[in-house]
C-alpha cells in the first residue's frame, strides 16, 4: 500500500457557529483499497507488526498537509491520532511533520494533534504525556477526547491542557431537552468554557443533536449534519446547518454577514477525474465512497463531462464488463453534455435551468464552476431541500393577508445589503385615511384595499433586484436596487389613485371623500384613501442596521403623509453610521423633495 501510494486521507469539516461556516477539518487515515483493514486501529497494528509505523505516519501527514494546502488552507487542520495512542511515543512527530509543513507553507500554529486521552487501561500514559509535551513545545496545538474522564484529566489535562475538548453527541442521545440542561454533561461543558477552552461536539448527525449543542452553548460541531467526510477539505457546510447557524448567531448583522450564495451551500467538493483516467479507476472510486453520486471529468482543469453513479455502476457491475471496458478511458461512460452552472447563479435561475433541462440531470446532477474552472458538483436532491427550506421559512414569516415577507425577512434583507455595503433605496409605504375607510366600508373591503396595494407595489418592483415586504396592517416596505426607483414609485402612485376609485361610490368620488361622525358625535370629512411613500436612499456606510434605517424611514413617511393625496417624499439629508439614531427629522429645516400625484 505504501509503495503504491494507495492511502486515503479523509477530511471531516468542523463548523464554528459564530462564523456561520467552516473553522477547520479533522483529517483521519483510511486505506483506499477494500482488501486492506478499514479502521485506523487495524491499519496501525498492521504497520507496527511490519515495522512500517514511521512510514505510515509520514504518508498520512504528507497526504493530509498537501491536500490541505492545495485546498487553500481553510482554517485549522486537526490530525486525528486516535488509534495511535500506544505508538505516538515511538514517533518523532516534529521530525515527521515540520518538513511537510515548511514545504507547503503551513505554520505549526495552524495544526492541532488530536489524541484520545488516557484511561487506567492505557499502556503508557507517561509516554503519552511526553509526546504531548514535545508537540506543545514546538508550537502544535492539542485537542483531546475524554471529556468527563477524571483519570484523563488528572494524568494529562492538568499537565498538557488542550485548547480544544472533543465530546461525542452520542453521550447525550438519550437525554430529553429539559433534562439536558441539568445533566452532568452540561456542567462539564460549562466548566470547560469557564477554563477558556473551546468545545467541539462530534457525531452531530441529526437535528436533535444540533439542538442539543445550541442548548449547551457549544461553539464547534462536526458530524454528518454539518458535512460528511470528503477526500478534499470542503469549505461548505450543509444547507440545513448553514440555515440554522444563521438563525442562532449574529452573522446576519452588518459586519458579520454570512449569507452564502445558494450554489456555495449546495456545492460538494468531489475530486474530479481526468479524461485519461481508466473506467475501472472511476468505478472503484464509486465503490469506495458510497456518498459520491457523480464525478466530473476534466480536461485542462475545465469540465467536459459528468459520470453518474447510476450509469457507471449499472454498466460496470455486469459480468465481464470490467474485463472488457476497465482499461478504456472513463470518457466512455460520461455524459458529454452535462449541466454546468456558475457559482454566482441565483436560486431562481438555477431552478429554472433544472426545470427546463433534460430529465437525466435530475439524476446525475450538475457541475459547479467559477469562471469556467471546476469547483465541485451539486445534486437536484439538495436543490429541492434548499427550495423547501426557503419556502418553509418564507411561509413562517409571511403576512397571512398578502403572503408577502414579514418583519423578520425584511430586517434580514436590509441588514444583508447594509452589511455588504450595497446601495439601496428604502421606501416606507402607508395608506392615508385607512382606519375610517375600514370603519365605514367594513373590514372585508379594508382587506381588499390592502391586497390591492400589495399587488400594485409588487408590480412596481423588478423581481430580480427589488424586494417588497408587508410589515402589517396597511404598512409596506420597498427595498429598491433598481436605479429607476423614482419612476417605479410614481407609476405605483398613479395606478393606486386610479384603482382605489372602484371602492368608493360616485357621490363620494365627486366630493373627494365622505363624512362620518367622530367619537364626539361631530361630522368629520375624510378624503379618498391615498398612498404615501417615503424614500430613504441608503448609501454605503450611512446606516449601521435596519434599526437605524427604521428611525429615518418613519420620519420620512410622516412627511409623505403630511402631503395631501398620493404622494412621494424623498429624504435628502445625509447620515453617517449611528447619526440616524440621534438626529432624525428636523422639522421644516429638513431638506427633501415632495411629489403629489
Amino acid at each position: 500500500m505504501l509503495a503504491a501510494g494507495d492511502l486515503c486521507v479523509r477530511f471531516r469539516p468542523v463548523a464554528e457557529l459564530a462564523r456561520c461556516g467552516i473553522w477547520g477539518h479533522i483529517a483521519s487515515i483510511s486505506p483506499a483499497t477494500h482488501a486492506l483493514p478499514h479502521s485506523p486501529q487495524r491499519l496501525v497494528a498492521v504497520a507496527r507488526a511490519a515495522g512500517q509505523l514511521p512510514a505510515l505516519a509520514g504518508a498520512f501527514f504528507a497526504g493530509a498537509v498537501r491536500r490541505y494546502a492545495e485546498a487553500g488552507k481553510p482554517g485549522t487542520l486537526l490530525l486525528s491520532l486516535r488509534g495511535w495512542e500506544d505508538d505516538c511515543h515511538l514517533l518523532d512527530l516534529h521530525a515527521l511533520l515540520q518538513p511537510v509543513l515548511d514545504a507547503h507553507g503551513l505554520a505549526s500554529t495552524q495544526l492541532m494533534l488530536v489524541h484520545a486521552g488516557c484511561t487506567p487501561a492505557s499502556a503508557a500514559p507517561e509516554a503519552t504525556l511526553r509526546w504531548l509535551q514535545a508537540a506543545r513545545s514546538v508550537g502544535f496545538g492539542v485537542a483531546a477526547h475524554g471529556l468527563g474522564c477524571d483519570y484523563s484529566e488528572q494524568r494529562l489535562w492538568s499537565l498538557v491542557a488542550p485548547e480544544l475538548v472533543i465530546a461525542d453527541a452520542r453521550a447525550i442521545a438519550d437525554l430529553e431537552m429539559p433534562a439536558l440542561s441539568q445533566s452532568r454533561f452540561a456542567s462539564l461543558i460549562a466548566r470547560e468554557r469557564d477554563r477558556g477552552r473551546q468545545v467541539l461536539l462530534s457525531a452531530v448527525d441529526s437535528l436533535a443533536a444540533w439542538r442539543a449543542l445550541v442548548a449547551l452553548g457549544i461553539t464547534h460541531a462536526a458530524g454528518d449534519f454539518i458535512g460528511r467526510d470528503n477526500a478534499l477539505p470542503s469549505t461548505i457546510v450543509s444547507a440545513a446547518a448553514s440555515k440554522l447557524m444563521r438563525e442562532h448567531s449574529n452573522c446576519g448583522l452588518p459586519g458579520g454577514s454570512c449569507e452564502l450564495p445558494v450554489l456555495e451551500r449546495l456545492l460538494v467538493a468531489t475530486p474530479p477525474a481526468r479524461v485519461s483516467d481508466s473506467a475501472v479507476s472511476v468505478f472503484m472510486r464509486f465503490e469506495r465512497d458510497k456518498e459520491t453520486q457523480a464525478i466530473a471529468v476534466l480536461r485542462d482543469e475545465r469540465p467536459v463531462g459528468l459520470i453518474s453513479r447510476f450509469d457507471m455502476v449499472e454498466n460496470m457491475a455486469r459480468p465481464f464488463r470490467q474485463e472488457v471496458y476497465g482499461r478504456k478511458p472513463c470518457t466512455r461512460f460520461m455524459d458529454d453534455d452535462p449541466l454546468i452552472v456558475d457559482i454566482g447563479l441565483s436560486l431562481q435561475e438555477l431552478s429554472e435551468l433544472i426545470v427546463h433541462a433534460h430529465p437525466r440531470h435530475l439524476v446525475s446532477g450538475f457541475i459547479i464552476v467559477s469562471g469556467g474552472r471546476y469547483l465541485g458538483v451539486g445534486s437536484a436532491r439538495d436543490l429541492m431541500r434548499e427550495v423547501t427550506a426557503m419556502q418553509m421559512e418564507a411561509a413562517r414569516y409571511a403576512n397571512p393577508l398578502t403572503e408577502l415577507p414579514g418583519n423578520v425577512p425584511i430586517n434580514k434583507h436590509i441588514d444583508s445589503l447594509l452589511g455588504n455595503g450595497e446601495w439601496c433605496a428604502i421606501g416606507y409605504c402607508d395608506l392615508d385615511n385607512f382606519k375610517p375607510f375600514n370603519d365605514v366600508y367594513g373590514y372585508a373591503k379594508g382587506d381588499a384595499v390592502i391586497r390591492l396595494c400589495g399587488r400594485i407595489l409588487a408590480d412596481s418592483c423588478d423581481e430580480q433586484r427589488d424586494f417588497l415586504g408587508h410589515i402589517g396592517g396597511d404598512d409596506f416596505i420597498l427595498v429598491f436596487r433598481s436605479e429607476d426607483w423614482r419612476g417605479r414609485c410614481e407609476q405605483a402612485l398613479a395606478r393606486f389613485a386610479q384603482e382605489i376609485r372602484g371602492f368608493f361610490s360616485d357621490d363620494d368620488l365627486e366630493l373627494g371623500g365622505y363624512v362620518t361622525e367622530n367619537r364626539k358625535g361631530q361630522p368629520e370629512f375624510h378624503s379618498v384613501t391615498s398612498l404615501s411613500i417615503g424614500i430613504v436612499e441608503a448609501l454605503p456606510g450611512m446606516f449601521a442596521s435596519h434599526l437605524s434605517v427604521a428611525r429615518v424611514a418613519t420620519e420620512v413617511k410622516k412627511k409623505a403623509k403630511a402631503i395631501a393625496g398620493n404622494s412621494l417624499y424623498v429624504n435628502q439629508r445625509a447620515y453617517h453610521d449611528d447619526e440616524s439614531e440621534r438626529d432624525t427629522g428636523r422639522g421644516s429645516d429638513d431638506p427633501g423633495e415632495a411629489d403629489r400625484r
Side-chain angles (χ1 to χ4, degrees), residues 186-309:
S187 64
L188 292 173
I189 298 297
R191 183 188 64 188
E192 296 308 317
R193 287 204 308 267
D194 292 342
R195 291 173 174 174
R197 295 171 183 163
Q198 295 175 326
V199 180
L200 162 65
L201 190 65
S202 66
V204 179
D205 299 335
S206 64
L207 180 59
W210 169 269
R211 289 171 176 163
L213 85 91
V214 171
L216 291 168
I218 296 175
T219 55
H220 296 69
D224 287 352
F225 188 78
I226 305 298
R228 296 182 180 275
D229 287 353
N230 205 312
L232 291 176
S234 172
T235 58
I236 307 299
V237 297
S238 71
S242 175
K243 174 180 178 295
L244 290 171
M245 280 191 284
R246 296 196 303 273
E247 291 180 354
H248 290 95
S249 70
N250 294 323
C251 61
L253 299 177
S257 177
C258 69
E259 184 70 28
L260 294 172
V262 63
L263 278 169
E264 285 195 28
R265 301 197 296 272
L266 300 181
L267 184 144
V268 179
T270 303
R274 309 287 170 175
V275 291
S276 58
D277 290 352
S278 66
V280 72
S281 68
V282 176
F283 175 68
M284 291 305 296
R285 283 185 55 186
F286 283 120
E287 286 288 285
R288 288 193 298 268
D289 190 348
K290 302 301 182 183
E291 298 300 324
T292 299
Q293 298 301 314
I295 295 175
V297 182
L298 305 192
R299 178 184 288 116
D300 299 329
E301 304 305 320
R302 294 182 179 272
V304 294
L306 187 67
I307 302 175
S308 75
R309 166 183 287 277

Side-chain angles (χ1 to χ4, degrees), residues 79 83 120 176 307 400 406 423 449 483 494 504 549 582-583:
L79 294 176
E176 297 293 337
I307 302 175
W423 168 90
V449 169
E483 295 179 357
F504 292 89
V549 173
R582 61 178 186 274
D583 187 22

Side-chain angles (χ1 to χ4, degrees), residues 432 532 556-565 567 569:
D432 308 317
S532 295
V556 174
K557 184 195 73 169
K558 289 179 181 178
K559 293 181 181 297
K561 289 180 70 67
I563 304 168
S567 59
Y569 183 91

Side-chain angles (χ1 to χ4, degrees), residues 302-507:
R302 294 182 179 272
V304 294
L306 187 67
I307 302 175
S308 75
R309 166 183 287 277
F310 178 80
D311 290 338
M312 174 62 83
V313 173
E314 182 188 35
N315 282 281
M316 293 293 286
R318 294 178 181 179
F320 308 113
R321 286 299 181 97
Q322 292 188 43
E323 291 79 2
V324 175
Y325 298 108
R327 294 185 180 182
K328 295 185 181 297
C330 64
T331 53
R332 186 182 186 90
F333 296 96
M334 78 177 186
D335 176 1
D336 59 5
D337 186 24
L339 183 60
I340 301 177
V341 298
D342 190 87
I343 195 164
L345 225 57
S346 69
L347 178 62
Q348 181 177 353
E349 292 169 328
L350 176 61
S351 300
E352 289 180 357
L353 275 178
I354 294 291
V355 168
H356 294 99
H358 192 278
R360 71 177 186 277
H361 298 305
L362 292 173
V363 177
S364 60
F366 46 88
I367 299 173
I368 303 173
V369 299
S370 177
R373 300 187 70 84
Y374 174 77
L375 294 178
V377 297
S379 69
R381 180 188 61 184
D382 289 343
L383 174 61
M384 287 188 288
R385 184 172 62 238
E386 184 74 15
V387 170
T388 301
M390 295 181 70
Q391 288 175 337
M392 291 177 64
E393 182 177 17
R396 178 182 179 188
Y397 295 114
N399 186 285
L401 181 59
T402 60
E403 298 183 352
L404 291 170
N407 287 335
V408 172
I410 291 172
N411 296 339
K412 284 185 177 181
H413 183 72
I414 294 175
D415 281 341
S416 176
L417 293 176
L418 298 179
N420 293 329
E422 297 185 46
W423 168 90
C424 60
I426 301 171
Y428 199 153
C429 312
D430 191 18
L431 295 176
D432 308 317
N433 301 314
F434 180 69
K435 185 180 184 305
F437 176 86
N438 247 352
D439 294 340
V440 172
Y441 287 92
Y443 287 101
K445 274 201 170 184
D447 288 348
V449 169
I450 291 175
R451 286 193 291 268
L452 169 68
C453 184
R455 287 196 302 272
I456 291 174
L457 293 175
D459 291 343
S460 72
C461 294
D462 182 336
E463 291 184 0
Q464 302 298 323
R465 307 195 65 191
D466 305 327
F467 176 92
L468 173 63
H470 188 178
I471 299 174
D474 58 327
D475 291 336
F476 295 83
I477 286 287
L478 284 164
V479 184
F480 286 113
R481 297 281 292 134
S482 299
E483 295 179 357
D484 60 343
W485 55 266
R486 184 186 293 272
R488 293 175 180 274
C489 288
E490 292 173 348
Q491 182 182 13
L493 291 170
R495 181 179 166 188
F496 185 85
Q498 180 63 36
E499 296 193 26
I500 192 63
R501 297 172 62 86
F503 290 86
F504 292 89
S505 65
D506 292 340
D507 291 342

